Structures are given as structure tokens and as C-alpha cells.
Amino acid sequence: METRHQGFLDSEPLREADEDMASELHLNSSLTEEEREDILQELSKLEEEIGTLKQVLASKEQQHAELKQKLGATSLADLRNNLSRGWHDVQTSTAYKKTSETLSTAGQKTSAAFSTLGSAITRKFGDMRNSPSFKSFEEKVETTVSTIKTKVGGTEAGGSFEEVLSSAAHASVQDTPTNSLTDGSERPR
């Protein structure tokens, strides 16, 4: 029996596994010796065909890789194509379309809410400017500016707060004494 199935039983671990399988087949089934021989022979043929097919497949895969390399197609290009194809498949999926629609609707509703909020804030600032408290604050600021103008710039009336600060800074610079050197040499520039 071993000589007849040498291709099937060509390694020691396989031989032990086959003997275990054969003993289980013998104990578990009521196969005749002829049926058992036929099955083992068919199994041996299948294993030989599988080995041949693996060799052919390996050869074809190598030929495939060589042809792609000649065309300049690299694994990076393959990866890029696969990702592109995958992204297209995702975009055309029902789940993506539903999610996109939901997010679009949510974005529109959020935009509308912010627009409403902005209008409300603008209206509140307008209301606040017209309130008695703000008008009182504004009058106090104007009084303070007028006082500063009078003290710093003399009796001139008018001008903005920035102009008053600018003239105060200008007056301050003119009143500052210049530093002169004690040895009589020129001042540094």
C-alpha cells in the first residue's frame, strides 16, 4: 500500500496523519478494502493536481508581476487605484449618501441657527446703545475727554479721543528734556 501511494505519503508527518486517518476510516466506516484503496488513490491524484496547480499559479503570478513592472505599474500605483476605486464605492453606497444628506441638513440648520443668533446679538447691542445706562456712560466718557482736552491741549474744543491722546503724547515728548553728554561730544543718533 505504501509503494502504491508514495506521492501521497512522501513525508513522515503526513504518513502518520494518513495512518491515523486510515485507522479512523477503518474503525468508523464499513468500507471495503477496495473502496478504501480507490479513495486513497483518488486523494493522491487530487494532491498531485493541487501541487501542479500551485506551481502553475506561482509561475503565472510571477509573469503577471513582470508584465506590470514592464508597464511601469508599481505596487504604489496599484494601491492608489485600489483606494480610488474603494473611495468611489464608498461614495456610491447608500449609507454614504444618507449620511451626507443628514450632515448637509444639519449644516443648514446650524447655519440658520447662527444667523438667527447673530441677528439677535446685533439687535441686543442696538437696544443696549439706546438704553439710559449706556447713554449715561457715553456722556461720562465725553465729559472725561473734554476735561482731558482742556487740561492737556488748552481751550481747544472738539476732536476725537484718539486725537486728544495723540496730542497729549506729543506734548509729553516735547516737554521731556533731552539728555546731553557731559564731555561735549555729539549726541548719538
Side-chain angles (χ1 to χ4, degrees):
M1 182 162 72
E2 274 186 49
T3 57
R4 206 168 154 188
H5 304 290
Q6 192 61 33
F8 176 64
L9 304 171
D10 55 351
S11 68
E12 195 59 38
L14 284 176
R15 185 175 293 135
E16 290 175 9
D18 290 336
E19 288 172 0
D20 291 341
M21 184 176 72
S23 65
E24 285 181 27
L25 280 175
H26 189 60
L27 294 176
N28 292 335
S29 68
S30 58
L31 292 176
T32 64
E33 187 65 32
E34 274 182 38
E35 292 172 332
R36 189 171 168 273
E37 288 291 324
D38 288 341
I39 292 172
L40 288 173
Q41 190 175 21
E42 187 176 342
L43 188 61
S44 174
K45 286 180 185 178
L46 282 174
E47 288 178 348
E48 287 177 24
E49 288 176 8
I50 289 170
T52 303
L53 289 173
K54 284 182 179 180
Q55 289 175 352
V56 170
L57 180 61
S59 171
K60 294 291 183 184
E61 285 177 339
Q62 182 178 0
Q63 184 181 8
H64 178 259
E66 289 171 357
L67 289 174
K68 284 180 83 172
Q69 187 177 14
K70 284 181 182 178
L71 288 174
T74 62
S75 57
L76 182 61
D78 288 342
L79 178 62
R80 187 176 8 170
N81 289 336
N82 289 340
L83 288 174
S84 177
R85 192 175 321 117
W87 179 243
H88 179 267
D89 293 345
V90 166
Q91 286 179 324
T92 57
S93 72
T94 305
Y96 178 84
K97 288 178 181 177
K98 285 182 180 179
T99 302
S100 177
E101 289 171 6
T102 302
L103 290 175
S104 176
T105 302
Q108 290 170 354
K109 288 181 179 179
T110 303
S111 176
F114 279 128
S115 176
T116 303
L117 179 65
S119 297
I121 289 172
T122 302
R123 189 173 53 251
K124 286 293 181 184
F125 276 133
D127 293 346
M128 187 177 75
R129 266 195 107 179
N130 294 328
S131 72
S133 301
F134 188 82
K135 290 197 182 267
S136 171
F137 173 73
E138 193 173 28
E139 288 172 5
K140 288 180 182 177
V141 169
E142 286 176 0
T143 304
T144 305
V145 168
S146 295
T147 305
I148 291 174
K149 283 181 183 179
T150 304
K151 289 183 179 179
V152 173
T155 58
E156 287 183 29
S160 68
F161 184 67
E162 289 84 14
E163 290 173 352
V164 171
L165 288 178
S166 173
S167 66
H170 184 65
S172 172
V173 168
Q174 288 177 351
D175 291 342
T176 305
T178 58
N179 293 333
S180 58
L181 299 175
T182 57
D183 62 358
S185 63
E186 287 187 19
R187 287 187 1 213
R189 294 182 189 181

